[in-house]
Amino acid sequence: HTLGLVASPLVFTKMPLVKVFATRSVGFAKLPMAPLYKSLCAWFKVPENSGILQIQYCVSEEMYPDQLVFDIRAKAKVERTAKAMNAVCDDLVSYVKEQGIETKPRVRIEVFDPTHSYSSGGFA
């Protein structure tokens, strides 16, 4: 029991975790969080009112080469196939364009096996 880490998939109450990185020049003004959250819940087949999906916006002074990045971690599930996750990538690129953002985002989705993850259990 070193470092108080717990090896259990049950401690992950906020997955998928979506981190969105943007430079100040791109910003988040045209990307309000609530509508994006609703779309992400639909794409990942997560109940919207469950609180399972978590979004975090991160503003950066500079990024290179991309100016807008979606970095997503999600638990592996039967329905989260390569084809389904590639469709989510395409949906996100289209969504950003529909919001009037000219910068094409890089979208990265990591689907992982939660039995190999560890947490302090600090989630509320």
Side-chain angles (χ1 to χ4, degrees):
H1 177 28
T2 60
L3 301 177
L5 298 177
V6 178
S8 169
L10 300 176
V11 298
F12 290 99
T13 59
K14 301 290 184 187
M15 282 288 156
L17 173 61
V18 180
K19 294 180 185 177
V20 187
F21 298 89
T23 59
R24 290 198 188 281
S25 62
V26 172
F28 293 110
K30 293 183 179 178
L31 199 62
M33 198 175 282
L36 176 60
Y37 181 87
K38 182 175 183 168
S39 293
L40 285 163
C41 284
W43 297 328
F44 280 98
K45 297 177 179 29
V46 171
E48 193 176 331
N49 294 327
S50 66
I52 292 173
L53 189 134
Q54 180 71 35
I55 300 178
Q56 179 181 9
Y57 280 177
C58 306
V59 178
S60 179
E61 290 296 328
E62 294 183 19
M63 293 184 349
Y64 182 84
D66 302 297
Q67 304 299 302
L68 179 60
V69 176
F70 288 81
D71 185 20
I72 302 170
R73 293 194 69 214
K75 286 193 273 189
K77 292 186 172 190
V78 174
E79 66 271 16
R80 292 185 181 154
T81 63
K83 183 178 179 180
M85 294 301 93
N86 280 322
V88 172
C89 289
D90 294 342
D91 289 341
L92 260 171
V93 170
S94 295
Y95 182 87
V96 166
K97 187 175 183 179
E98 290 167 7
Q99 302 309 306
I101 298 172
E102 294 179 19
T103 302
K104 183 178 178 182
R106 177 181 302 256
V107 181
R108 177 189 168 275
I109 301 175
E110 176 187 355
V111 179
F112 71 96
D113 177 358
T115 61
H116 299 291
S117 296
Y118 305 91
S119 172
S120 66
F123 298 111

